[in-house]
Amino acid sequence: MEITEVLPIKSLEEALSWKPLTESLPVIDLQDRANYSINGKDYKCHERFLTSKRLLNQGLPKTLICHDMQGGYLNDRFVNGTKSSNEYTFYNWSVIDTFVYFSHHFITIPPIGWINAAHKHGVKVLGTLITEWTDGNTLWLQVFSNLEKRDHLVDKLVEICKHYKFDGYLFNVENELESENIENMIETVSLLRTKLKTEITHSEVIWYDSVSMETGKLIWQNQLNNHNKLAFQACDGIFLNYNWKEEDLVKSVANAGNRVIDVYVGVDVFGRNCIGGLDCHKSLEIIRKYDLSVAIFAPAWTYETLSDKNKFNLVEDTFWRKLYPFLYIHIPCSLPFSTYFCRGYGSKKIENFVLSSLDAWYNLSKLNYQPSVPLCLLDGNFPCISYIDGEAVLGGGCFRLNGNNENTSYHRIFVCHFEIKSTL
């Protein structure tokens, strides 16, 4: 049976009885990156030689994006794409470590297009396990009434992750817990992490800062402290709530010990009780002062809030241009390497320069490898590179180099690390 769309799992019963509907799925394995990165503030668009300092990835602060848009599972849910082109896509993959697909259903399985787009660029993809409010409390009472049921749920979570080839979970408990179940919850997180790593060595489980592991009360901390430290110790990282102040970051660093980069400080692009929108870079500037990682929530704000979706690329480029000085550019290292720069959509489809269809289309699995910086970092009205929809070698679009003066003789598209082990 061929799966045509990916949908979430909405109940405990559905999760416990889950079985794969097909033997295999068209999912790309996570690709390698070089073991070093360069600081975004050192990137130069128009210099012939780049002499930026190489920064070993081990110990670098990380960047996570959490994709929450209109409830999720829109036209991105279709395995083979749809006939529409004015959809949200993401193309700044070089500066991302982890992509989380988020919805308010019990188990969010990331759509295959997102997994493929991220994996091509060496970016891990996490699904989400979320429980909320009174229903969430009831669900965990059911799970912990029988630890065999708990173990069965953990096994199913691992099976689902392995089948769809994503890389772990964001664990988001936004409901109160009975005090006697706090220890059970910590054990569950630890057990899931251990079992996942047995099957997927690079997998991750990240805890969201919401319920207290001291009292069981739903009380967001906005810092790493005794209320969430036990959960932090049981998993690979913590995603802090967005309403932090700088003193919260200082306390988090003190409490993290040698795991500072496993603390992801939340930034809500919608700006709910925090700095958001095109000012998000102000939050990143503070976060990076302390070498903390960042979790950027709802970056599709750049698309979702536009009445004219044709302005998306302009707003997206403006948003990320401001963030690049606080991000780290990761580097492709796997051969063979090729790209036609297509962003996974088009107003028509072209194959080998020949028009093959006049239908609009959207399929994130068809997104090609994107440049190290897919925009000009010189802030101006005339970008050195722009994306053109409707002209392509293969797919739906391509890049146009906009040389306009003597300073743009060179256009840096990639920072690469390819080791040639055979005779050229």
Side-chain angles (χ1 to χ4, degrees), residues 55 82 84 110 179-180 192 194 219 236 271 295:
L55 304 168
T82 58
S84 65
S179 56
E180 62 268 23
L192 176 61
T194 301
I219 177 166
D236 297 288

Side-chain angles (χ1 to χ4, degrees), residues 83-85 346-349 355-362:
K83 286 187 177 181
S84 65
S85 68
S347 55
K348 51 194 171 187
K349 189 173 280 187
L355 181 67
S356 63
S357 171
L358 285 169
D359 292 331
W361 65 279
Y362 172 67

Side-chain angles (χ1 to χ4, degrees), residues 27-31 97-101 108-110 114-116 118-120 122-128 157-158 160-170 192-193 196-197 199-206 236:
V27 182
I28 296 167
D29 290 332
L30 182 68
Q31 297 299 295
D97 296 275
T98 306
F99 174 91
V100 179
Y101 195 80
T108 301
I109 300 170
W114 282 113
I115 300 173
N116 285 336
H119 277 187
K120 264 175 209 172
V123 174
K124 294 180 185 181
V125 178
L126 308 187
T128 305
L157 288 168
V158 174
I160 292 163
C161 193
K162 196 176 172 189
H163 178 67
Y164 284 93
K165 289 191 180 178
F166 59 100
D167 309 295
Y169 291 94
L170 172 67
L192 176 61
R193 179 178 183 265
L196 268 175
K197 286 197 185 298
E199 297 290 337
I200 306 164
T201 53
H202 63 263
S203 64
E204 292 182 351
V205 176
I206 293 177
D236 297 288

Side-chain angles (χ1 to χ4, degrees), residues 6-18 71-73 77 103-109 128 130-132 135-136 139 142 160:
V6 173
L7 294 169
I9 291 171
K10 297 181 179 180
S11 69
L12 177 60
E13 293 70 27
E14 193 184 340
L16 294 173
S17 61
W18 179 88
Y73 299 102
R77 73 184 190 273
S103 79
H104 287 276
H105 302 293
F106 177 39
I107 298 170
T108 301
I109 300 170
T128 305
I130 187 170
T131 58
E132 298 177 284
D135 288 347
L139 185 146
Q142 283 182 268
I160 292 163

Side-chain angles (χ1 to χ4, degrees), residues 231-246:
F232 174 65
Q233 290 167 346
C235 64
D236 297 288
I238 187 168
F239 181 148
L240 294 182
N241 191 45
Y242 321 101
N243 306 142
W244 48 269
K245 295 181 173 57
E246 191 164 352

Side-chain angles (χ1 to χ4, degrees), residues 42-52 378 407-414:
D42 293 337
Y43 185 91
K44 302 292 185 289
C45 298
H46 302 303
E47 287 186 10
R48 186 174 181 183
F49 300 107
L50 196 65
T51 54
S52 305
L378 298 177
N407 294 327
T408 55
S409 300
Y410 298 99
H411 300 267
R412 181 167 299 283
I413 297 173
F414 290 108

